[in-house]
Amino acid sequence: MKLIVEKDYEELSRRASEILVKEIQDNHEIVLGLATGSTPKRMYELLIEEYKKGSIDFSEVQTFNLDEYIGLSEDNPKSYNYYMQENLFNHINIIPENTHIPNGKAMNLESYCKEYEDSIKRAGGIDVQILGIGTDGHIGFNEPANELEAETCVVNLSESTIKANSRFFASDVMVPREAITMGVGSILKAKKIILLANGEKKRNVIKDLLEKPIISTHLPVSLLRLHPNVTIIVDEEAYEGEK
Ligand code: F6R
């Protein structure tokens, strides 16, 4: 795992955006795995700026999002679908059919999850996967547990995730309890992975990831140790080791 420590959130976002700009320039048909949440927001703004400057073209890019809450329709402002439209897709020339976000209102969730997984395979797999990290070590919504699912599946959100994500809702009780998430296997099949973490709240989990030489389903992010091409970009607040 390659570690990059940037001074602050702005620099972290710039570094992540620079890497993605280069990847998109090198491969116009790139398949990107995308995350939502607070962490990648500024990176998306910077990508939009690069698109407006003419440095990148999204017309042949495909995207797959990691996750979506169950029960929220795509026009619900709390849904991850809405987030992606607002924070990226509405501002670039990506073709809507080339963007994929799990459907939290799917009728048959089991067959839907299989279909989502198959659509990633049909696209040739993910070239570059962007990840945030939960304070409990989750990636996507793969929460710490005795067992983790390999492929796209329905999961119950942990209490700590419900609490962490309640900042986007009126209160804890409004946070959906279930989500669809790409599995850890779906994530690990990406050719490259870029994990972003900023702020003091992520310091403990980043310390665990970097200092404990273990792989455990109780720290889902530790499974990234099995992957040959992971770049972790943190800011100084999320990192307490030597720079
Ligand atoms: C979001 C996702 C989650 C978040 C994580 C961190 O699509 O998959 O794993 O990346 O919960 O969220 P933030 O960035 O809000 O701290």
Side-chain angles (χ1 to χ4, degrees):
M1 296 191 296
K2 178 177 170 197
L3 176 69
I4 300 174
V5 184
E6 292 290 353
K7 189 170 154 295
D8 54 23
Y9 179 59
E10 179 65 19
E11 293 305 313
L12 169 156
S13 307
R14 282 192 184 276
R15 178 62 85 97
S17 143
E18 277 162 23
I19 295 173
L20 279 186
V21 166
K22 173 132 197 352
E23 292 283 349
I24 296 167
Q25 286 170 341
D26 288 351
N27 176 7
H28 291 204
E29 296 177 11
I30 195 165
V31 180
L32 297 174
L34 298 179
T36 56
S38 310
T39 312
K41 268 196 167 175
R42 179 68 184 139
M43 178 191 79
Y44 290 142
E45 280 175 10
L46 293 165
L47 284 178
I48 295 166
E49 281 177 22
E50 291 300 324
Y51 164 72
K52 289 192 172 151
K53 277 195 251 163
S55 342
I56 40 174
D57 171 21
F58 286 89
S59 60
E60 291 175 289
V61 172
Q62 292 195 64
T63 63
F64 286 88
N65 265 75
L66 281 165
D67 39 23
E68 177 62 285
Y69 292 115
I70 287 180
L72 300 193
S73 58
E74 54 188 54
D75 55 357
N76 185 318
K78 309 290 182 200
S79 74
Y80 285 169
N81 196 312
Y82 193 94
Y83 169 107
M84 286 311 301
Q85 311 304 328
E86 285 285 294
N87 289 290
L88 184 63
F89 298 153
N90 286 346
H91 311 281
I92 58 175
N93 67 334
I94 198 154
I95 297 173
E97 290 71 35
N98 287 346
T99 67
H100 306 85
I101 302 168
N103 176 4
K105 294 285 261 186
M107 293 294 278
N108 182 334
L109 288 167
E110 203 178 314
S111 61
Y112 178 79
C113 288
K114 188 166 178 329
E115 173 51 31
Y116 195 75
E117 192 72 29
D118 288 346
S119 59
I120 300 175
K121 287 180 194 147
R122 276 199 302 278
I126 289 169
D127 293 306
V128 181
Q129 175 67 57
I130 299 293
L131 293 177
I133 179 173
T135 50
D136 62 358
H138 72 216
I139 47 174
F141 272 140
N142 296 286
E143 302 281 21
N146 289 336
E147 289 179 348
L148 292 175
E149 296 276 346
E151 302 204 323
T152 304
C153 60
V154 173
V155 285
N156 292 314
L157 301 186
S158 70
E159 279 310 314
S160 89
T161 300
I162 291 168
K163 201 155 179 287
N165 289 7
S166 65
R167 69 191 194 278
F168 300 113
F169 292 81
S171 71
D172 286 21
V173 287
M174 306 296 281
V175 185
R177 266 39 188 172
E178 287 182 311
I180 298 175
T181 183
M182 273 164 56
V184 282
S186 340
I187 294 171
L188 289 174
K189 279 188 215 141
K191 295 181 190 85
K192 291 184 191 172
I193 297 178
I194 301 172
L195 174 80
L196 309 175
N198 70 287
E200 216 184 323
K201 276 196 239 151
K202 303 290 168 74
R203 189 180 288 183
N204 285 341
V205 72
I206 290 296
K207 189 171 190 286
D208 283 350
L209 172 64
L210 297 176
E211 291 182 7
K212 288 188 189 159
I214 53 135
I215 293 159
S216 166
T217 56
H218 290 278
L219 186 65
V221 68
S222 68
L223 274 93
L224 296 185
R225 288 185 171 278
L226 296 169
H227 194 282
N229 194 333
V230 177
T231 303
I232 302 171
I233 313 180
V234 295
D235 71 355
E236 288 182 3
E237 283 188 18
Y239 182 71
E240 65 172 47
E242 301 240 330
K243 269 151 237 153

